[in-house]
Every structure is written in C-alpha cells, then in structure tokens.
Amino acid sequence: MLALAKDGFVVAERNRGFRVVEMSETDLDEISQIRVLLEVPSTVEVARIISASDLKRVAAIADEIVAAAARGDLIDYLDSDRRFHVALISQLGNTRLTELVDRLRLQTRLYGLGKLVETGRLVASAEEHQELLETMRAKDAAATERVIGSHIKHVRGLWVGHEEA
C-alpha cells in the first residue's frame, strides 16, 4: 500500500504497520524523469484526439486550479490539478497508464507547494495548465510537447527553489 504523507509517502509493511518514506532529491528526479517519459508523448497524443467538448470540460478544471491557487487553497488546488491531469491522460483509454501517472503525481504532489504559496508563484504554475490547453486547442503537437515538458520540469525545479531542474 502506498499513501501520501507530508514529506514522502506511507508504505504498509506486513506485520509491522506503516512507515513514512521520505522523498529524496534522487526520488524526485527519478519520478520527474518518468513523468516526462510518460506524460509528454501521452499529452501530445491527447492533443491530437481530444474533442472540443472534452477540452471545454478540462478547461473548466484548469480555471478551478487557477482560482484555488489565487486563494492559496492547496486542498482545492491539488484536487483540481489531479482531476485535470487524470482527465487529459484518461482520453487515451489506457487505464493502467492513467493510474500510473496518477500514482507518480500523488507521490510528489505536496512537495514544495508551501514554498510556492509563500512566494506567490502558485498562480503562475497554475496558469501553465491554461497555456497547455491553448496548444491543444490549436492541435499544435510541437507546442503541446514543449509546454507539458516545461511544466513538469518547471514544477520539479520549483520544488528545489530553481526555475527548472
């Protein structure tokens, strides 16, 4: 069993209970690398196939992300962010891929967000979702690839206090 904890994730150990496994820089780098390998080409493919009505539905979620970020509401931000990315990846109809991407995101989703709220950078990060949707509306595969790749790398960089990792 894997669950989220404040600075890592909780692992169930047979006959021993649970323990929190802290996320190291190596863990974060590895997860980010896997996310780039999975999410970038998947999101590009979604841009090719997503319908206008599904884009509109996902755009409403992107607006929720920005609104939550503007309020500094991390709970709503995280919920909306998760629903956004799951809604996009699920367009491919691959349940295992959707679950894997969701699981990777859950492992790191709290890391560094407090710093983003404190510095006022959470809104800028949230607005990247809207930029991604613009590239998808235009069916611009190259721009979609650039924006989603940059978003993942940008978020990883923000975790450590840099623009990109």
Side-chain angles (χ1 to χ4, degrees):
M1 177 177 142
L2 188 68
L4 191 58
K6 183 178 181 220
D7 295 322
F9 48 95
V10 177
V11 176
E13 293 184 336
R14 192 172 188 191
N15 299 322
R16 301 187 108 190
F18 298 91
R19 69 182 170 95
V20 174
V21 178
E22 290 196 31
M23 299 297 286
S24 70
E25 292 298 320
T26 300
D27 293 329
L28 295 169
D29 288 340
E30 289 175 354
I31 290 169
S32 293
Q33 182 182 34
I34 293 167
R35 285 187 58 205
V36 166
L37 291 169
L38 292 175
E39 289 182 64
V40 171
S42 297
T43 304
V44 169
E45 182 61 25
V46 170
R48 291 184 180 115
I49 66 166
I50 194 167
S51 69
S53 62
D54 284 331
L55 266 173
K56 187 175 180 179
R57 180 176 55 84
V58 177
I61 300 170
D63 291 343
E64 292 175 26
I65 296 168
V66 173
R71 292 190 312 272
D73 185 337
L74 285 180
I75 292 172
D76 281 352
Y77 175 90
L78 290 169
D79 177 61
S80 299
D81 182 68
R82 180 185 170 274
R83 288 186 295 116
F84 176 89
H85 289 280
V86 167
L88 284 180
I89 295 297
S90 69
Q91 293 292 309
L92 296 176
N94 184 328
T95 305
R96 285 181 175 87
L97 175 63
T98 302
E99 289 173 357
L100 179 57
V101 167
D102 192 32
R103 194 171 331 121
L104 290 168
R105 294 176 53 74
L106 284 171
Q107 289 179 22
T108 58
R109 69 186 207 152
L110 289 179
Y111 200 92
L113 285 180
K115 191 182 307 179
L116 291 181
V117 172
E118 290 171 14
T119 62
R121 300 185 75 192
L122 188 61
V123 173
S125 181
E127 289 171 343
E128 292 175 2
H129 298 86
Q130 293 170 324
E131 180 184 357
L132 176 63
L133 290 176
E134 288 302 316
T135 68
M136 296 176 85
R137 273 188 202 95
K139 302 289 186 192
D140 186 337
T144 298
E145 181 176 9
R146 178 184 48 76
V147 172
I148 188 64
S150 176
H151 178 65
I152 294 168
K153 291 174 185 173
H154 179 232
V155 169
R156 174 61 182 112
L158 291 172
W159 291 339
V160 294
H162 304 297
E163 283 301 311
E164 287 194 8

